[in-house]
Structure formats: C-alpha cells, structure tokens
Amino acid sequence: MATLNTRVLFFSLCLILSKKATSQLDELWLVGDEDDDPLRALQTRHERREEKCDYSVGNWSYDETYPLYDSNCPYLSSALSCQRNGRPDSYYQKWRWVPKSCSLSRFDALKFLGKMRQKRIMLVGDSIMRNQWESLVCLVQSVLPTHRKKLTYNGPTMSFHSLDFETSIEFCWAPLLVELRKGNDRERVLHLDSIEDNARYWRGVDVLVFDSAHWWTHSQKRSSWDYYKDGNKLYKAMDPMVAYERGLTTWANWVEINLDPSKTKVIFRTSSPRESGQKCYNQKHPLPSSSEPHVPQQSRVLKKVLMKMKYRVYLHDITTMSAYRRDGHPSVFKRAMGEEEKNHRFAVPSSDCSHWCLPGVPDIWNEMLSSIILTKAA
C-alpha cells in the first residue's frame, strides 16, 4: 500500500511539473506570437523582465566618490558651470541615486562608447535636454585623446564625435517637437499636425531620446506663438494639455510610420521639475523623499499617448527623483558675479531654478540612460 501511495504521489508531482512547463512554454510562444523565432521571443521576455526594474523609485545617497568628471569640462555652457560662476559649496555634486528594487551602475564611459560604436545617439528637445547632452558629452570626453574628438554643427543640431569609436552624441533643438513657423504677417503659428521640418534630422539615428514639456505650459505672456493650427483651423487659445496631446500624437504617428524598431531605439524622458522664484536659492541638500510624489499633467498626457503606440518606447521617468534636488539648480550662479554681487546675492531677482548645475543631477539621468541602453537591445 505504501509503495502504491508513493507511486501515485510521484505521478501526481510529474503531472504538476509537466503542466507548469507547458504553461511556461505557452507563455514563451505567446510573447513571441508576432515572431516565429523562439530565441527572439525569449530575449523579448528577458527584456520585459528587466524593464520591471523601476529606476525612478529610490533615494539619494551621499557619495564622496562623485562627481564623475571635473567641473572644468570644456564642453559646459557658462550658465551651467556653477563652480566657475562662484558657487561656494559642492555638496550638490556628490549624490548618487539608489533605486529601491534594483541597482544602478556607475557610468562607464568606455563601456558606453563600446556599445555605441559606429552608432548615433541624439537627444531631442529643449534647453533642459541640452543640459543633459552636455552632461553626457562630459561623461565620455575625458577617456578620449584631444585630437580624436570634435564638435560639428548642422542647422538645429550639434554633435560630439568620438573618431576612434565612430560614435556621435548629438543634440537637436526642438522644444515642441512639432513645427513653430512665422506666417506672412509675421505672426507665429504652432502647427500641431506638422513635424517633418524637425523630424528630418532624426532619421538614421540609432538611439533617439526625446523630451518636450516646459514650452507647452508657458503663460500667454511668455508664449512663443500667437496661434495654434490643427488641420485647416486656427485657434487663438487652446487648453495647453489638449494642444500637448495633439502635438505628441503627431510625434507618435511620425515614429510609427518612419522608424524601424529593429534599428532605432526610442526613449522619452519625462519633464524635469522646475521651481519658481528663489525656492532653489541657498539649498545645499536634497529634500526628504515623499511617499506620494506629485505627477505633473504633462506626464499623465505623455503616458496616455505612449500607451496607444504600437512602437515600443521606453519611458525614462526622472521627474520625482529630480524634484527632491532643489539644491542642484544654478539659482543665482547661472553667471559669474563680482564681489559686490556675491555679498548681496540674496537681493538678486533673477534665479535659475529650471536648469541644472554640472556636474550634477543630469549625470544621474545619464547613468540611467546608459543602463537602459546597455541592458537592452539598442
């Protein structure tokens, strides 16, 4: 009887294991239902498992081994060179981001360049995206001989070239992604359904990183356009988030029609938080982490548009983690000041709480970007 029970238990266990294996095999083929290659399906499944790592949730940890490059990097704009402009503290340079559910590797310039050998990466967007581009260039340039790197310019683009790796790190100025044009009467019109004048510079790029948020919420007083145009209709006013969604939809349609997902990886970075007035002045440490971070309207609209896309776009969420870093903005150190100004800087009305000092917070965005590129097919 004991032997019989043992055999029944053994066969029951085999049946359970067999069903589990069959279920896993079914899952594998379901993942690969658009591709008959099971190896490709397995790789896709592996990538999806990796994407469960949410880099955006974590905390800032002080680390004396940072920053990752010298503040005298020759590719830094003067407005971002806070140390050169007289900022007395350097604490803001020494914080690394520690994700809650996974690890974030320190930026490795040679590894990044090796992955991007004979490839192009382009960061597309506004001045905050240029901020990130300068950070990325400074992160890689120190491992390259002086005579084996150069800058080139073409229309709204500027490119840093590593001649030995045949790699280019490019920036394209397109803060709205869609086209802003002047009409015959010199009035400025934002064309919500036109993008090709900007997008022609994005073709042939291996990794495209986009951002577009801040310009859409400029007040009427600061707006860069007089009218919206959608189809044949002109609008003097429109809800900014409605316009933003229409503009992003035009971008999404262009991506799906013109890009090949096997050749071009597309990443969309969420909006960088900005403070008003003097809120970032004299800040020296990150704010404590909040349990319920604020999600900007732009992020909700962006996620809504991405969810409708068939093209696989990686959402690079930097909004909440960056919101804790009021200390990282240039504030009054967006330019060099004389001794008298330094002594009375609290009275200076002009303070930059939108951009970021370098070295600083965008270096961590680029550590995340590098991890995204290195751990997934690009």
Side-chain angles (χ1 to χ4, degrees), residues 225-241:
W225 57 88
D226 302 300
Y227 294 96
Y228 297 94
K229 187 173 184 181
D230 193 14
N232 294 319
K233 293 184 178 180
L234 275 178
Y235 302 87
K236 183 64 178 174
M238 184 182 291
D239 182 317
M241 290 302 99

Side-chain angles (χ1 to χ4, degrees), residues 306-317:
L306 296 184
M307 286 291 289
K308 294 178 182 178
M309 294 180 69
K310 293 180 180 179
Y311 200 104
R312 198 165 168 202
V313 177
Y314 187 95
L315 180 65
H316 182 193
D317 189 349

Side-chain angles (χ1 to χ4, degrees), residues 49-61:
R49 188 163 60 247
E50 283 178 336
E51 286 184 1
K52 290 179 182 177
C53 175
D54 187 352
Y55 292 121
S56 69
V57 179
N59 62 277
W60 289 99
S61 176

Side-chain angles (χ1 to χ4, degrees), residues 4 10 25 28 41 77 89 130 132 169 218-219 349 352 363 370:
L4 180 61
F10 174 76
L25 188 60
L28 174 62
S77 299
D89 70 296
R130 172 165 173 168
Q132 184 177 353
I169 300 172
H218 284 174
S219 65
D352 184 353
D363 303 330
S370 176

Side-chain angles (χ1 to χ4, degrees), residues 54-62 95-102 104 286-290 320-322 324-325 364:
D54 187 352
Y55 292 121
S56 69
V57 179
N59 62 277
W60 289 99
S61 176
Y62 190 78
W95 296 88
R96 64 183 174 89
W97 180 250
V98 183
K100 184 177 180 180
S101 60
C102 51
L104 179 60
L287 297 171
S289 299
S290 169
T320 299
M321 62 175 287
S322 305
Y324 303 139
R325 294 301 310 278
I364 309 303

Side-chain angles (χ1 to χ4, degrees), residues 204-253:
V205 178
D206 300 283
V207 180
L208 281 165
V209 186
F210 293 94
D211 102 300
S212 182
H214 287 302
W215 279 47
W216 293 91
T217 54
H218 284 174
S219 65
Q220 196 69 30
K221 190 175 180 180
R222 292 184 59 214
S223 178
S224 299
W225 57 88
D226 302 300
Y227 294 96
Y228 297 94
K229 187 173 184 181
D230 193 14
N232 294 319
K233 293 184 178 180
L234 275 178
Y235 302 87
K236 183 64 178 174
M238 184 182 291
D239 182 317
M241 290 302 99
V242 171
Y244 183 49
E245 183 173 350
R246 291 183 185 178
L248 281 182
T249 300
T250 297
W251 165 84
N253 291 338

Side-chain angles (χ1 to χ4, degrees), residues 153-324:
Y153 302 87
N154 177 30
T157 71
M158 54 196 306
S159 307
F160 173 85
H161 301 269
S162 166
L163 303 182
D164 293 323
F165 286 90
E166 299 178 70
T167 299
S168 65
I169 300 172
E170 307 172 35
F171 168 71
C172 179
W173 173 258
L176 297 157
L177 301 182
V178 293
E179 296 170 20
L180 179 61
R181 304 182 206 151
K182 283 188 177 179
N184 295 330
D185 51 5
R186 307 300 292 170
E187 289 182 322
R188 302 159 302 170
V189 180
L190 181 59
H191 294 255
L192 299 175
D193 58 353
S194 298
I195 199 169
E196 188 56 38
D197 278 357
N198 295 325
R200 60 197 172 104
Y201 294 98
W202 311 339
R203 298 177 187 275
V205 178
D206 300 283
V207 180
L208 281 165
V209 186
F210 293 94
D211 102 300
S212 182
H214 287 302
W215 279 47
W216 293 91
T217 54
H218 284 174
S219 65
Q220 196 69 30
K221 190 175 180 180
R222 292 184 59 214
S223 178
S224 299
W225 57 88
D226 302 300
Y227 294 96
Y228 297 94
K229 187 173 184 181
D230 193 14
N232 294 319
K233 293 184 178 180
L234 275 178
Y235 302 87
K236 183 64 178 174
M238 184 182 291
D239 182 317
M241 290 302 99
V242 171
Y244 183 49
E245 183 173 350
R246 291 183 185 178
L248 281 182
T249 300
T250 297
W251 165 84
N253 291 338
W254 183 90
V255 167
E256 299 205 303
I257 293 169
N258 293 279
L259 299 183
D260 181 345
S262 69
K263 296 178 180 178
T264 304
K265 185 172 188 66
V266 178
I267 300 165
F268 208 113
R269 200 207 70 211
T270 60
S271 62
S272 169
R274 57 184 172 182
E275 302 289 344
S276 58
Q278 296 281 336
K279 285 188 178 180
C280 66
Y281 172 67
N282 208 28
Q283 298 292 316
K284 292 185 172 62
H285 300 283
L287 297 171
S289 299
S290 169
S291 56
E292 294 184 8
H294 171 68
V295 179
Q297 282 184 292
Q298 295 99 314
S299 293
R300 294 191 179 96
V301 172
L302 172 60
K303 289 175 183 178
K304 179 181 176 182
V305 171
L306 296 184
M307 286 291 289
K308 294 178 182 178
M309 294 180 69
K310 293 180 180 179
Y311 200 104
R312 198 165 168 202
V313 177
Y314 187 95
L315 180 65
H316 182 193
D317 189 349
I318 56 90
T319 304
T320 299
M321 62 175 287
S322 305
Y324 303 139

